[in-house]
Amino acid sequence: MARATVSVSRRESLSQDAKCKNYAGVSAEFADRLDLTDHQHLRIDNSQYATYYRIVEISENTAPLVVHEDSLDRFGGDDGDEVTVSTTIPQAETPERAAKTGGVHEALVDDGHRDTVAVIAPHAGEIEKHTGAIAEQCHNLLRSRGIDASLWRLQGYSHPDQDISSFRVWHFSKIMRSQDSYPALGRIVDRDFEYVVGVHRSGYSHVEVGGLADRGLRESIGEELHRRTGREVRTDTAEMNLPGTAGILSENYLSGPDDQAVHIEATPWICDREQDSAARAVVEGLEKSPKFDPL
């Protein structure tokens, strides 16, 4: 943890992530002092506000910490503000404290040796609302059926006084390029789970069931999601907006050599009103698939 003065820039290289604007640059000296690397995540605390950035530039002869001026609302900052910088994103906040003050809580339910199924929600809390609840219900249903399962969630919230969404403040991207920034994740990152299910929320009217898992497994889950929610479900990654097939994505990265990872993009309606139906569809879709052999 260190203190740094924020410098503001309009460099295009710091604004390419148009949706969240979470790119930052650091000086080579500052990187050496904190042992920072390219793509590493940084937490910025400025009085009562907090957010995170991804390092995309490490340069000589630059200010210690540089962000685009369009991203200042993410931590209520301004040019010349002195902020606290940390390479650990969740700061031991309880879920209640994070929700009340605008922080992030990392939750892991795991006994340290189960390698069968991992259910994850990397954008839980208010980031992609109710995805954490669906993931938790999936985990509980799997356990109730005697299936070994672990649950990992990142729950983020904007400060009540901030006039921007939690999505803008805490939508984590490329988490696996900064694994050490998330201590609970570090406890399972090398486990190679046989199956991984990632729960996400999109703005679409249809559901997408992507990821690197075999299409048969994804279709089985998709059929159950359609049956229980009545929503259009796409399982052909060529027809998806967010296919979730990149190896760096959390669910794909956590899966074992067979790559049985499922990336679910649920609709707002399902996340807000049909959490139980979605969770049951996922678990029953897994169980009905010939590709699913958890024993």
Side-chain angles (χ1 to χ4, degrees):
M1 192 174 292
R3 299 287 288 175
T5 300
V6 175
S7 295
V8 172
S9 171
R10 287 201 61 82
R11 291 204 298 271
E12 183 179 351
S13 59
L14 296 179
S15 67
Q16 292 177 357
D17 182 8
K19 189 175 291 186
C20 293
K21 291 186 170 57
N22 58 19
Y23 286 179
V26 297
S27 68
E29 185 277 331
F30 193 64
D32 287 343
R33 179 149 53 101
L34 270 68
D35 196 24
L36 305 176
T37 60
D38 195 28
H39 301 298
Q40 189 163 6
H41 292 187
L42 294 178
R43 174 169 171 145
I44 306 298
D45 283 272
N46 182 40
S47 184
Q48 74 267 43
Y49 301 122
T51 192
Y52 97 107
Y53 283 88
R54 292 187 285 156
I55 297 174
V56 295
E57 294 180 356
I58 299 177
S59 308
E60 301 285 352
N61 303 317
T62 189
L65 176 65
V66 185
V67 301
H68 198 277
E69 68 177 15
D70 290 343
S71 73
L72 291 171
D73 58 348
R74 299 178 74 241
F75 63 99
D78 206 348
D79 189 26
D81 281 357
E82 190 175 4
V83 298
T84 300
V85 180
S86 175
T87 56
T88 301
I89 308 304
Q91 295 286 318
E93 297 126 314
T94 64
E96 296 77 17
R97 180 70 177 169
K100 184 176 181 179
T101 63
V104 58
H105 173 75
E106 185 182 21
L108 175 65
V109 181
D110 177 74
D111 69 1
H113 63 77
R114 290 194 303 269
D115 299 328
T116 305
V117 184
V119 185
I120 70 171
H123 305 131
E126 295 287 333
I127 306 171
E128 293 180 0
K129 197 171 183 179
H130 300 312
T131 56
I134 294 173
E136 183 177 25
Q137 289 185 51
C138 286
H139 172 260
N140 291 342
L141 286 168
L142 288 164
R143 294 295 307 277
S144 72
R145 286 161 163 77
I147 299 171
D148 289 341
S150 300
L151 172 67
W152 176 70
R153 294 177 294 177
L154 280 173
Q155 303 169 167
Y157 306 84
S158 61
H159 191 280
D161 293 339
Q162 285 181 288
D163 192 26
I164 64 172
S165 68
S166 301
F167 184 96
R168 276 285 315 278
V169 176
W170 291 115
H171 189 268
F172 304 102
S173 182
K174 305 296 189 296
I175 293 171
M176 293 304 171
R177 289 180 174 169
S178 191
Q179 303 166 16
D180 292 343
S181 296
Y182 304 91
L185 173 64
R187 289 157 54 188
I188 63 170
V189 73
D190 294 323
R191 292 266 293 279
D192 285 344
F193 289 92
E194 293 177 46
Y195 307 90
V196 184
V197 176
V199 183
H200 303 263
R201 174 180 177 137
S202 77
Y204 309 127
S205 59
H206 65 275
V207 181
E208 297 185 345
V209 184
L212 291 178
D214 292 328
R215 185 167 178 175
L217 180 63
R218 293 186 284 106
E219 286 179 343
S220 182
I221 293 173
E223 288 169 4
E224 284 299 311
L225 281 166
H226 175 69
R227 185 177 72 83
R228 286 183 171 270
T229 70
R231 299 288 164 171
E232 176 194 353
V233 180
R234 299 180 185 177
T235 56
D236 184 346
T237 55
E239 297 177 352
M240 295 181 194
N241 299 307
L242 298 168
T245 53
I248 196 65
L249 289 182
S250 303
E251 42 268 74
N252 296 328
Y253 195 100
L254 289 170
S255 64
D258 292 335
D259 289 327
Q260 296 299 338
V262 180
H263 178 98
I264 298 172
E265 292 282 352
T267 70
W269 178 272
I270 288 174
C271 290
D272 293 341
R273 298 173 182 266
E274 298 187 88
Q275 300 160 31
D276 182 69
S277 294
R280 291 185 181 279
V282 170
V283 172
E284 291 182 15
L286 282 171
E287 290 186 316
K288 289 180 178 179
S289 172
K291 294 289 185 180
F292 186 66
D293 182 15
L295 301 178

